[in-house]
Amino acid sequence: MNAFLILLAFLIPFGTKKFLYSFTPSVDEYHAIFLYGTDILLILFLISFFFAIRKFHLVPISVKLSAFVFWFFASLSVLLAFYPELALYRFARLTLYILFALVVGVSLSRTRKLFEYICFAIGISAILQSIVGFLQFLYGKSIGLWILGESVINITTPNVARVTIEGVKYLRAYGTMSHANILASFLILGLLSFFYLYIKYSDRNVKHAWIRIYSAVGVFITIFGLAFTFSRSGWIIALLVTLFVLAWGFWHKEYRRSAFGLFLILLTTTYLLFTALSWAIIPRAGFASGENSVNDRIIYNKIGAELILKHPLGVGIGNQELVSVQEGLYQARGLINDWRWQPVHNIYILIASEVGIQGILAFLALLGLIFFRYKKNLLRSPEGTVALGMLAVSLFFGLIDHFPWDLPAGQLMLWLSVGLVLGTTDNK
């Protein structure tokens, strides 16, 4: 059973998929049914759990109840949906992810060592994704890993994520993800995994030397990979969670020495990064009010807010974009071309528009109960601290993007992080 979970953590960024059906004439991940390779592993993991354990007794009843309430409101949104077949499909996926989070919590509560194996898996995958991303940046195109989910793109592909520096266009690193920001999110999980392994095993035991070396090399490679995504939100979130982990390490006397070692590794890596890539990083570091990426996000959020006012009970899970087009909300704001019709870039507004005000309140209650239930001991261990940091990554990205709610890789990262928080703290 645990082998499925470890492999699933490793394969999060690999988007191998088979197209089955589209609810709209155009085929995309928002409105079509795909069978992903990670779906198969997820289902096998859940099946093996129900055969071997079957009980969720290690998860507090308050958390299970709040998860059920959120699930229930999501199910009601199917009945209210403008496009019920699409909503039913998206609801089925959400059901799997909620179960996944609960099962991960139970599994880790039974075997705390599992957290370490998950971090190893995410770390190795982050190194591989960083290398792929660097090659994409270097050559200005995908490198032929389409069977693993890599987008078939180059620097001239319409609507591709690219950055212009001193008049020269560069392709942002995608890895095998569908967008550079999603890769950035996963690479931050990789960074946190390396932080955990280094802090956990930063002692004088010679047997642990290879883990420290692996973690230090992993931090170096992953930070460079994150730089090539040119995801400014990713850079900011990486900085915040890094400061969080370092502050926790320096606060706890038994981890102070390892936190200092990690700080030196980060300082060295940052120095080398700016020495090699300051010409690319500095021009990208600022935000301009006239940028399309900034303006469009503001417009999308306004569309979501208007949809909430018009349909306070929600338009159905997965239906936000289609209903907004049908009601002319994009067109009214000058977004005439269909490639600019994207989901609301804020998962909290997006959930409220699709599942209703009651849905977002239930989702926030679920998160609030998790934090409240574990507030006394969430930060007592490196496992709990890093798990909280991983959950914060998805929640912070959710403020400026939509993928933690509606794209499989983002959903896996969000609900895996919820499960890690549930399973890495003492819930007695």
Side-chain angles (χ1 to χ4, degrees):
M1 181 183 78
N2 291 340
F4 289 129
L5 177 57
I6 296 168
L7 184 57
L8 182 59
F10 173 79
L11 292 176
I12 285 174
F14 294 96
T16 301
K17 58 184 181 290
K18 173 66 176 177
F19 169 73
L20 299 178
Y21 177 78
S22 179
F23 297 99
T24 61
S26 60
V27 178
D28 57 50
E29 290 186 292
Y30 308 122
H31 312 123
I33 297 177
F34 289 92
L35 177 63
Y36 292 81
T38 50
D39 291 343
I40 298 173
L41 278 175
L42 173 58
I43 293 171
L44 289 174
F45 173 59
L46 294 177
I47 290 174
S48 63
F49 170 83
F50 285 108
F51 271 108
I53 301 174
R54 294 189 294 275
K55 295 182 179 180
F56 294 97
H57 60 284
L58 296 177
V59 177
I61 185 64
S62 58
V63 174
K64 289 185 286 191
L65 180 60
S66 60
F68 172 78
V69 171
F70 175 57
W71 175 87
F72 175 74
F73 286 135
S75 69
L76 288 183
S77 80
V78 177
L79 302 177
L80 300 171
F82 285 62
Y83 300 90
E85 295 85 0
L86 173 59
L88 182 62
Y89 166 67
R90 290 287 302 279
F91 170 70
R93 295 194 69 90
L94 178 63
T95 300
L96 287 177
Y97 292 126
I98 293 175
L99 284 174
F100 172 60
L102 296 176
V103 172
V104 169
V106 173
S107 300
L108 284 169
S109 296
R110 290 166 56 88
T111 310
R112 185 63 61 88
K113 190 76 172 177
L114 182 59
F115 186 84
E116 180 181 327
Y117 298 145
I118 291 173
C119 286
F120 268 109
I122 292 176
I124 294 172
S125 191
I127 290 175
L128 294 176
Q129 291 295 317
S130 296
I131 294 172
V132 172
F134 168 72
L135 293 176
Q136 291 169 337
F137 170 81
L138 182 64
Y139 295 113
K141 62 180 181 179
S142 51
I143 61 173
L145 300 178
W146 58 269
I147 196 171
L148 299 179
E150 183 190 23
S151 301
V152 182
I153 53 176
N154 59 52
I155 194 62
T156 62
T157 302
N159 310 320
V160 74
R162 52 182 168 248
V163 61
T164 302
I165 301 172
E166 296 184 356
V168 181
K169 294 181 179 179
Y170 297 91
L171 182 68
R172 294 170 59 186
Y174 273 55
T176 55
M177 298 285 202
S178 59
H179 195 277
N181 286 346
I182 311 178
L183 174 61
S185 180
F186 181 76
L187 292 182
I188 300 173
L189 296 193
L191 268 183
L192 287 168
S193 297
F194 292 126
F195 292 170
Y196 166 74
L197 293 171
Y198 188 87
I199 289 175
K200 185 73 173 179
Y201 290 101
S202 186
D203 52 33
R204 292 181 172 85
N205 191 330
V206 178
K207 294 181 179 179
H208 297 156
W210 73 272
I211 299 179
R212 296 194 295 272
I213 294 172
Y214 162 73
S215 302
V217 172
V219 167
F220 179 84
I221 295 175
T222 305
I223 287 179
F224 268 79
L226 182 61
F228 289 120
T229 67
F230 292 96
S231 172
R232 291 170 295 188
S233 52
W235 295 348
I236 294 171
I237 293 171
L239 175 63
L240 292 175
V241 295
T242 297
L243 292 175
F244 168 68
V245 173
L246 286 175
W248 178 88
F250 283 116
W251 181 263
H252 290 78
K253 185 177 180 179
E254 63 269 35
Y255 296 109
R256 199 166 291 162
R257 178 176 176 273
S258 56
F260 182 71
L262 181 59
F263 171 74
L264 292 179
I265 292 171
L266 289 166
L267 192 65
T268 303
T269 301
T270 303
Y271 172 77
L272 294 174
L273 176 68
F274 273 91
T275 299
L277 294 173
S278 59
W279 59 273
I281 294 174
I282 294 176
R284 177 65 176 172
F287 289 88
S289 59
E291 290 185 46
N292 286 337
S293 61
V294 176
N295 290 340
D296 285 356
R297 278 176 165 80
I298 295 173
I299 293 174
Y300 295 144
N301 290 345
K302 289 181 178 179
I303 289 172
E306 184 173 344
L307 208 59
I308 294 169
L309 292 175
K310 295 178 67 175
H311 309 278
L313 297 181
V315 297
I317 183 171
N319 278 223
Q320 177 268 314
E321 184 184 350
L322 294 180
V323 174
S324 297
V325 172
Q326 177 180 299
E327 297 188 355
L329 301 183
Y330 290 104
Q331 300 89 324
R333 289 171 171 78
L335 303 181
I336 306 300
N337 299 320
D338 57 2
W339 60 268
R340 298 188 71 184
W341 299 342
Q342 297 184 33
V344 172
H345 279 50
N346 180 303
I347 66 169
Y348 310 99
I349 299 175
L350 182 56
I351 293 172
S353 66
E354 293 189 342
V355 188
I357 295 174
Q358 70 282 359
I360 187 57
L361 291 177
F363 179 71
L364 294 175
L366 171 61
L367 296 175
L369 280 171
I370 291 173
F371 291 131
F372 177 80
R373 184 64 179 80
Y374 296 117
K375 65 179 180 180
K376 293 183 179 180
N377 47 32
L378 191 59
L379 300 178
R380 289 181 179 176
S381 69
E383 292 87 357
T385 302
V386 169
L388 180 60
M390 289 183 174
L391 179 55
V393 171
S394 290
L395 297 181
F396 282 147
F397 261 109
L399 292 169
I400 45 84
D401 219 317
H402 57 87
F403 64 83
W405 173 248
D406 59 9
L407 291 177
Q411 292 167 316
L412 278 174
M413 287 188 277
L414 170 61
W415 294 103
L416 172 64
S417 300
V418 171
L420 293 178
V421 171
L422 292 176
T424 54
T425 52
D426 183 7
N427 56 23
K428 295 181 181 178

